[in-house]
Amino acid sequence: MNQGDTILQFQNVSRLYHQGGETIRALDGVDLTLRRGEFVAIAGPSGSGKTTLLNVSVGLDQPTEGKVWVGGQDLTGMSAPELAQLRLNKVGFIFQSYNLVPVLSAEENAELILLLRGVPAAERKRTVHQVLKEVGLEGLEHRRPSELSGGQQQRVAVARAIVAEPALVLADEPTANLDSKTAFALIDLMEKLNQEHDTTFLFSTHDPRVMKRAKRIIYLLDGRVEKDVSSP
Ligand SMILES: Nc1ncnc2c1ncn2[C@@H]1O[C@H](COP(=O)(O)OP(=O)(O)OP(=O)(O)O)[C@@H](O)[C@H]1O
Ligand SMILES: [Mg+2]
């Protein structure tokens, strides 16, 4: 199954929820392959399965049917600690509401993943300094989230997501809380990181202008891939 540069693969993935005697097909027979370096948007109306797809991609949620591989590793049957380890080593996350630790500075928030990975202090400091500079936060390293704008907080979240150079970055509506100028600046940054580090990005969005910046758009409808469109 490990086909060279395949980062993420879905094979006939369904995720069913049962609620009040009703079955909801949040994902319904999804087949998908993402290769290294792709810059992909997931589009679709509210409830179409975007968040479920992102969660299932990295074992935060389990498929009812079908299989998921991350970097050639089959997630089926992996234990919770094994999944956590895989996420720590291979995946970065960016959330709509930033999810920074409020009592930690920008620098400390960005450092978290390196701490968890057991990277020595001097190397952590060097890497974090470099990454914060790369996301345009030089000089703001010691500020806490409450002392930063929404766009700046999301840049800290991006720094945290990429600090350990994951193969895959997942983002669930990363621009939803940002004004359009700040949203485009964030997409510019993600695109730059995608090009310079060959990091694969998979992000959901409702904003057609953000969508247009993707090289590939996967349109979901009722849990199914309605269209999968790559730009030349
Ligand atoms: N934990 C859950 N229990 C029951 N139903 C759920 C659960 N999580 C999601 N669903 C349902 O699954 C479907 C897909 O939800 P999902 O959150 O993936 O959609 P989405 O495309 O991310 O929507 P939005 O654009 O509003 O964020 C919806 O019908 C939703 O109500
Ligand atoms: Mg969602």
Side-chain angles (χ1 to χ4, degrees), residues 90-107:
K90 294 198 172 157
V91 189
F93 296 91
I94 303 166
F95 303 92
Q96 177 177 340
S97 47
Y98 325 135
N99 287 12
L100 300 176
V101 182
V103 296
L104 299 182
S105 67
E107 195 172 60

Side-chain angles (χ1 to χ4, degrees), residues 210-228:
V210 169
M211 232 173 269
K212 265 175 49 190
R213 298 286 304 275
K215 307 288 179 299
R216 176 178 170 192
I217 309 176
I218 296 165
Y219 294 88
L220 293 183
L221 187 65
D222 298 332
R224 297 181 150 273
V225 176
E226 190 197 18
K227 271 191 295 178
D228 186 340

Side-chain angles (χ1 to χ4, degrees), residues 163-209:
V163 74
E165 303 197 349
L168 174 65
V169 173
L170 301 179
D172 198 4
E173 305 198 32
T175 61
N177 285 338
L178 305 176
D179 62 72
S180 58
K181 187 165 160 255
T182 315
F184 290 130
L186 186 83
I187 295 294
D188 286 341
L189 172 64
M190 285 167 45
E191 196 172 56
K192 182 186 90 149
L193 296 167
N194 165 253
Q195 285 167 2
E196 290 176 3
H197 299 271
D198 217 21
T199 310
T200 309
F201 279 81
L202 180 62
F203 57 95
S204 70
T205 182
H206 278 284
D207 186 339
R209 293 168 309 170

Side-chain angles (χ1 to χ4, degrees), residues 8-130:
L8 177 69
Q9 181 142 22
F10 275 40
Q11 193 182 73
N12 194 28
V13 170
S14 296
R15 175 58 165 114
L16 274 52
Y17 289 109
H18 301 283
Q19 217 165 38
E22 221 188 303
T23 300
I24 300 157
R25 292 183 169 272
L27 293 177
D28 189 4
V30 174
D31 289 307
L32 196 63
T33 302
L34 249 66
R35 300 197 179 280
R36 175 148 197 101
E38 284 203 278
F39 196 66
V40 186
I42 312 171
S46 183
S48 59
K50 302 182 295 297
T51 297
T52 307
L53 188 148
L54 290 170
N55 288 342
V56 164
S57 292
V58 288
L60 292 170
D61 190 0
Q62 259 69 49
T64 313
E65 243 179 82
K67 280 182 179 234
V68 178
W69 290 261
V70 174
Q73 269 182 284
D74 185 352
L75 304 196
T76 319
M78 278 174 82
S79 67
E82 284 169 340
L83 287 168
Q85 198 62 34
L86 175 115
R87 287 191 290 269
L88 180 60
N89 290 322
K90 294 198 172 157
V91 189
F93 296 91
I94 303 166
F95 303 92
Q96 177 177 340
S97 47
Y98 325 135
N99 287 12
L100 300 176
V101 182
V103 296
L104 299 182
S105 67
E107 195 172 60
E108 290 162 339
N109 268 286
E111 193 183 11
L112 280 176
I113 304 299
L114 298 178
L115 261 173
L116 288 171
R117 279 208 195 173
V119 175
E123 189 186 333
R124 287 203 307 267
K125 206 168 173 55
R126 203 167 47 241
T127 309
V128 166
H129 179 79
Q130 147 76 40

